[in-house]
Amino acid sequence: NLINKLMNVYENKLGNTLIEFLLTKKNVKIIGKKECKNKDRAPTISFIIKNKSSKEICDSLIRDNIGIRNGNFYAWRCLNALGIEQEDGVIRASIVHYNNINEVELLIKSLDKLI
């Protein structure tokens, strides 16, 4: 249906904007595919910043009024397999159709100061 297609295109744009930024940072590891396309990746982006605590990063972003979380998100076996400490876990940005590009750019601006 047309609405689902339009939402998918919009969500891909938002998700890919964040992913493209994260890919420019050598100390960032993105969990999962490196592009949102063809409905094969949701714009829920999980990542870690090497040698930095996910909680510390999220706490700083929250102080910038960005809704973001860290943790294992019930995927502790995956984190173990990836060698990621499950208590601190990953940083997860959930970007969907009710977000806008300005919010993604604010997240990128705040992350850029921390990475």
Side-chain angles (χ1 to χ4, degrees):
N1 113 10
L2 180 60
I3 292 174
N4 284 337
K5 287 179 185 177
L6 291 173
M7 283 176 39
N8 182 251
V9 168
Y10 182 70
E11 288 178 348
N12 286 349
K13 179 182 177 187
L14 296 177
N16 286 328
T17 299
L18 176 59
I19 290 172
E20 288 166 12
F21 164 76
L22 293 172
L23 287 171
T24 68
K25 304 299 181 182
K26 293 184 190 302
N27 59 335
V28 171
K29 178 180 181 180
I30 299 171
I31 311 305
K33 295 182 178 184
K34 308 299 188 269
E35 183 179 15
C36 297
K37 67 177 183 177
N38 301 324
K39 297 185 180 184
D40 68 349
R41 181 192 172 99
T44 302
I45 315 300
S46 296
F47 59 98
I48 60 169
I49 300 173
K50 298 172 188 164
N51 301 318
K52 294 210 177 197
S53 160
S54 294
K55 179 172 181 6
E56 178 185 331
I57 296 296
C58 285
D59 287 348
S60 183
L61 293 171
I62 289 167
R63 286 191 292 277
D64 283 348
N65 293 316
I66 296 171
I68 197 160
R69 297 291 177 262
N70 75 290
N72 64 38
F73 303 100
Y74 306 102
W76 57 270
R77 287 184 183 141
C78 280
L79 294 186
N80 283 343
L82 293 169
I84 299 171
E85 197 279 316
Q86 63 180 290
E87 185 68 30
D88 189 46
V90 296
I91 301 161
R92 185 175 76 178
S94 299
I95 303 168
V96 291
H97 58 277
Y98 52 76
N99 292 113
N100 62 55
I101 195 65
N102 293 333
E103 292 168 326
V104 175
E105 289 171 354
L106 177 62
L107 171 58
I108 288 170
K109 181 179 176 183
S110 293
L111 276 170
D112 202 28
K113 294 185 290 185
L114 301 171
I115 299 177

